[in-house]
Amino acid sequence: MGNIIKFKMQIVKCKVNLQIIIITLIFGYSLVWAEPFVLQQAQNVLTSGEIEIGADFSYSEFAYYKEYKLSKTSDILTKLWTQDTQKHIPVLLKWGMSDYVELAVSLDAYSYWKSVAIGQPDVKYIDIGNGNINIKYNFCTELGEVPSIAIGTIFDIPTTNSMRNPATASDYWSIGINFGPFIAISKEIEPIILNLNFGYKITNRYRNVDDKSINPVDYIFYGIGAELPIDFIDIVTEAYGTHYTNKVKTESEVNDVYKPTTLDLITALRCKIDNFKIKFGLVISISDVNYKSYDWKIVSGISCIL
């Protein structure tokens, strides 16, 4: 009986940690529309009437082994071993609403494999993920010492099938309708272009597969990067992070969990040949092992301006 109780408590702990990971997953894979890679370059906006279509492919792995206490007042240690493999294929549609405003819509499809513990059954999902809508307005173009500045709004739309399909029911991709403003600042300092991003995401309550109310945490996202253009190829390096403003709120105070600050380091190449854009990069997570959703991730993509 004691082992059964410990196992159930371990499962509860895993579910809570999934809530911690989820916002990073949703936001990280919705950036198919971003350029040069994960960050936004302020002046990078389609001209009026232009349409861009494309798709990304990413592959990531994550493995860790740890011991933790079942509760703050318990001295009992529980061991947890986890290994994740994820594949994502977000598709993209962008439209130049004017020479300074563009609209981007993306939708993710994913394959997810998770091994929770030796001797326990693997978790496998293939499904449609969540959608994303991004509106960006480049209201200030670079002139002399004045940098290029753009503002915008990001919306996360809960379109995943995982909540409606019993065969793949999970909390991994569950979200509410989240939204938030961002600002992008870019400045060319020859021979490089510097990019600075900052935003705030407001997350909304939703009900998970157990019909429990989950109130995710609002968070700040930020990044700094540089790109070095060489002919038709750009060498890109970026750092992207999030900082959570409070803690996950569930229907049980016992499961309230503080969220950490996360940080990813990105090295990538981008090139443009005629109307085609191609990118390839490596993302390394240096976040706390208890909260990150991958150790490393390979991202590639191609798009075409019509």
Side-chain angles (χ1 to χ4, degrees):
M1 180 64 70
N3 289 334
I4 294 175
I5 293 174
K6 289 180 184 179
F7 179 72
K8 287 184 176 179
M9 294 184 72
Q10 178 175 327
I11 296 300
V12 170
K13 180 73 174 181
C14 290
K15 286 185 176 182
V16 173
N17 282 343
L18 287 173
Q19 305 306 326
I20 294 172
I21 291 172
I22 183 175
I23 294 180
T24 304
L25 288 170
I26 296 302
F27 190 76
Y29 287 109
S30 67
L31 293 176
V32 59
W33 39 262
E35 292 185 33
F37 202 77
V38 172
L39 301 184
Q40 296 246 32
Q41 188 184 98
Q43 69 272 22
N44 200 330
V45 177
L46 294 177
T47 59
S48 180
E50 280 190 332
I51 295 176
E52 182 177 352
I53 57 173
D56 277 11
F57 172 79
S58 68
Y59 177 91
S60 64
E61 289 192 357
F62 172 51
Y64 76 99
Y65 178 86
K66 70 168 186 174
E67 294 183 347
Y68 61 87
K69 291 184 178 181
L70 291 178
S71 68
K72 292 181 180 179
T73 59
S74 173
D75 292 327
I76 301 175
L77 290 176
T78 297
K79 297 179 181 179
L80 177 64
W81 176 84
T82 300
Q83 182 173 347
D84 290 1
T85 300
Q86 300 178 42
K87 300 174 185 177
H88 287 255
I89 307 178
V91 293
L92 164 75
L93 173 64
K94 291 171 70 174
W95 171 46
M97 302 173 67
S98 74
D99 288 342
Y100 304 100
V101 180
E102 73 175 17
L103 172 69
V105 179
S106 64
L107 181 65
D108 184 29
Y110 68 87
S111 167
Y112 181 77
W113 173 80
K114 182 183 186 72
S115 239
V116 177
I118 298 174
Q120 300 298 326
D122 292 346
V123 178
K124 297 180 181 179
Y125 300 105
I126 299 177
D127 216 324
I128 300 298
N130 293 291
N132 179 270
I133 300 174
N134 172 60
I135 301 173
K136 178 181 175 184
Y137 171 40
N138 178 212
F139 70 91
C140 178
T141 56
E142 184 171 348
L143 181 63
E145 298 300 318
V146 179
S148 179
I149 305 174
I151 56 175
T153 304
I154 303 169
F155 295 89
D156 296 329
I157 310 299
T159 54
T160 180
N161 286 323
S162 65
M163 292 294 287
R164 301 186 293 271
N165 183 354
T168 61
S170 74
D171 291 338
Y172 297 149
W173 318 110
S174 307
I175 61 170
I177 299 177
N178 307 325
F179 64 93
F182 70 86
I183 183 170
I185 302 173
S186 299
K187 184 73 174 73
E188 183 175 3
I189 304 175
E190 293 186 352
I192 64 173
I193 300 172
L194 296 177
N195 298 307
L196 178 67
N197 288 189
F198 185 84
Y200 186 89
K201 181 67 72 68
I202 300 169
T203 59
N204 288 293
R205 185 181 294 274
Y206 64 90
R207 303 197 73 84
N208 67 4
V209 294
D210 296 322
D211 200 33
K212 291 183 179 180
S213 177
I214 305 294
N215 186 13
V217 180
D218 295 350
Y219 63 96
I220 298 165
F221 56 92
Y222 49 86
I224 186 170
E227 49 186 307
L228 174 64
I230 302 176
D231 294 330
F232 61 92
I233 296 177
D234 290 350
I235 301 173
V236 181
T237 180
E238 297 175 340
Y240 169 80
T242 56
H243 176 73
Y244 298 92
T245 59
N246 207 318
K247 59 182 179 178
V248 181
K249 199 76 171 177
T250 66
E251 290 181 341
S252 170
E253 289 293 327
V254 175
N255 291 336
D256 286 357
V257 178
Y258 284 97
K259 290 197 172 185
T261 297
T262 66
L263 183 63
D264 287 355
L265 302 179
I266 301 105
T267 302
L269 295 175
R270 290 190 66 93
C271 67
K272 183 175 181 180
I273 304 174
D274 295 327
N275 289 342
F276 288 91
K277 299 177 183 178
I278 302 170
K279 66 180 181 182
F280 181 85
L282 175 65
V283 183
I284 302 293
S285 175
I286 59 173
S287 308
D288 189 309
V289 69
N290 295 308
Y291 305 108
K292 63 183 177 180
S293 56
Y294 48 81
D295 293 318
W296 57 269
K297 176 171 64 174
I298 294 174
V299 180
S300 61
I302 185 170
S303 64
C304 178
I305 299 177
L306 304 179

